[in-house]
Coordinates of all heavy atoms in Angstrom, one line a residue:
Chain A
A1049 N 94.5 140.2 93.4 CA 93.6 139.1 92.9 C 94.1 138.4 91.7 O 94.0 137.2 91.5 CB 92.2 139.8 92.6
A1050 N 94.7 139.2 90.7 CA 95.2 138.6 89.5 C 96.3 137.6 89.8 O 96.4 136.5 89.3 CB 95.7 139.7 88.6
M1051 N 97.2 138.0 90.7 CA 98.3 137.1 91.1 C 97.8 135.8 91.7 O 98.3 134.8 91.5 CB 99.2 137.8 92.1 CG 100.7 137.9 91.6 SD 101.8 138.5 92.9 CE 102.3 137.0 93.7
A1052 N 96.7 136.0 92.5 CA 96.2 134.9 93.2 C 95.6 133.9 92.2 O 95.8 132.7 92.3 CB 95.0 135.3 94.1
T1053 N 94.9 134.4 91.1 CA 94.4 133.6 90.1 C 95.5 132.8 89.4 O 95.4 131.6 89.1 CB 93.6 134.4 89.1 OG1 93.1 135.6 89.6 CG2 92.4 133.6 88.5
L1054 N 96.5 133.6 89.0 CA 97.7 133.0 88.3 C 98.2 131.8 89.1 O 98.5 130.7 88.6 CB 98.7 134.0 88.1 CG 98.7 134.7 86.7 CD1 99.8 135.8 86.7 CD2 99.1 133.7 85.6
L1055 N 98.4 132.2 90.4 CA 99.0 131.2 91.3 C 98.2 129.9 91.4 O 98.6 128.8 91.3 CB 99.2 131.8 92.7 CG 100.3 131.3 93.5 CD1 101.6 131.5 92.8 CD2 100.3 132.0 94.9
R1056 N 96.9 130.2 91.5 CA 95.9 129.1 91.6 C 96.0 128.2 90.4 O 96.0 127.0 90.5 CB 94.5 129.6 91.8 CG 93.6 128.6 92.5 CD 92.3 129.2 92.9 NE 91.9 130.4 92.0 CZ 91.3 130.3 90.9 NH1 91.0 129.1 90.4 NH2 91.0 131.4 90.2
R1057 N 96.0 128.9 89.2 CA 96.0 128.1 88.0 C 97.2 127.2 87.8 O 97.2 126.1 87.4 CB 95.9 129.0 86.8 CG 94.4 129.3 86.5 CD 94.2 129.6 85.0 NE 93.1 130.6 85.0 CZ 93.2 131.8 84.6 NH1 94.3 132.3 84.2 NH2 92.1 132.6 84.7
S1058 N 98.4 127.8 88.3 CA 99.6 127.1 88.1 C 99.7 126.0 89.2 O 100.4 125.0 89.0 CB 100.8 128.0 88.2 OG 100.8 128.6 89.5
L1059 N 99.0 126.2 90.3 CA 99.1 125.2 91.3 C 98.2 124.0 91.1 O 98.3 122.9 91.7 CB 98.7 125.8 92.7 CG 99.7 126.7 93.2 CD1 99.2 127.4 94.5 CD2 101.0 126.0 93.5
R1060 N 97.1 124.1 90.2 CA 96.2 123.0 90.0 C 96.9 121.8 89.5 O 96.7 120.7 90.1 CB 95.1 123.5 89.1 CG 93.8 122.7 89.4 CD 92.6 123.3 88.7 NE 92.2 124.6 89.3 CZ 91.7 125.6 88.6 NH1 91.6 125.5 87.3 NH2 91.3 126.7 89.2
P1061 N 97.8 121.9 88.5 CA 98.5 120.6 88.1 C 99.3 120.1 89.3 O 99.4 118.9 89.4 CB 99.3 121.0 87.0 CG 99.2 122.5 86.8 CD 98.1 123.0 87.6
L1062 N 99.9 121.0 90.1 CA 100.7 120.5 91.2 C 99.8 119.6 92.2 O 100.2 118.6 92.7 CB 101.3 121.6 92.0 CG 102.7 122.1 91.6 CD1 103.1 123.2 92.5 CD2 103.7 120.9 91.7
R1063 N 98.6 120.1 92.4 CA 97.7 119.4 93.3 C 97.4 118.0 92.8 O 97.3 117.1 93.5 CB 96.4 120.2 93.4 CG 95.5 119.7 94.5 CD 94.4 120.7 94.8 NE 93.4 120.0 95.7 CZ 92.4 119.4 95.2 NH1 92.2 119.4 93.9 NH2 91.5 118.8 95.9
Chain B
L1346 N 100.5 127.4 100.2 CA 100.1 127.6 98.8 C 100.9 126.8 97.8 O 100.4 126.7 96.7 CB 100.3 129.1 98.5 CG 99.2 130.0 99.1 CD1 99.5 131.5 98.8 CD2 97.8 129.7 98.5
W1351 N 97.9 121.7 100.5 CA 97.1 122.9 100.9 C 95.6 122.7 100.8 O 94.9 123.3 101.5 CB 97.5 124.1 100.0 CG 97.0 124.0 98.6 CD1 97.6 123.3 97.6 CD2 95.9 124.7 98.0 NE1 97.0 123.4 96.4 CE2 95.9 124.3 96.6 CE3 95.0 125.6 98.4 CZ2 95.0 124.8 95.7 CZ3 94.0 126.0 97.5 CH2 94.1 125.6 96.1
W1367 N 93.2 135.1 102.4 CA 92.9 134.7 101.0 C 92.0 135.8 100.4 O 91.0 136.1 100.9 CB 92.2 133.4 101.1 CG 92.2 132.7 99.8 CD1 91.1 132.5 99.0 CD2 93.3 132.1 99.1 NE1 91.5 131.8 97.9 CE2 92.8 131.5 97.9 CE3 94.7 131.9 99.5 CZ2 93.7 130.8 97.0 CZ3 95.5 131.3 98.6 CH2 95.0 130.7 97.4
L1372 N 86.3 137.8 93.1 CA 86.4 136.4 92.9 C 85.7 135.6 94.0 O 86.2 134.6 94.3 CB 87.9 136.0 92.8 CG 88.7 136.8 91.7 CD1 90.2 136.7 92.0 CD2 88.4 136.2 90.4
R1375 N 84.9 131.9 93.8 CA 85.9 130.9 93.8 C 86.1 130.0 95.0 O 86.1 128.8 95.0 CB 87.2 131.6 93.4 CG 88.4 130.6 93.2 CD 89.7 131.3 93.0 NE 89.8 132.7 93.4 CZ 90.2 133.1 94.6 NH1 90.6 132.3 95.5 NH2 90.2 134.4 94.9
Q1379 N 86.2 125.8 95.4 CA 87.4 125.1 95.9 C 87.1 124.2 97.1 O 87.6 123.1 97.2 CB 88.5 126.1 96.3 CG 89.3 126.6 95.1 CD 90.2 127.7 95.5 OE1 90.1 128.3 96.5 NE2 91.1 128.0 94.6
R1382 N 85.5 121.0 96.0 CA 86.5 120.1 95.5 C 87.3 119.6 96.6 O 87.8 118.4 96.6 CB 87.4 120.8 94.4 CG 87.7 119.9 93.3 CD 88.6 120.5 92.2 NE 89.3 121.7 92.7 CZ 89.2 122.9 92.0 NH1 88.4 123.0 91.0 NH2 89.9 123.9 92.4

Side-chain angles (χ1 to χ4, degrees):
Chain A
M1051 235 188 93
T1053 335
L1054 262 174
L1055 208 60
R1056 202 172 26 85
R1057 274 208 211 110
S1058 62
L1059 288 175
R1060 211 168 285 143
L1062 267 183
R1063 187 166 168 271
Chain B
L1346 281 174
W1351 67 285
W1367 198 252
L1372 301 163
R1375 188 189 12 98
Q1379 275 175 350
R1382 220 181 15 235

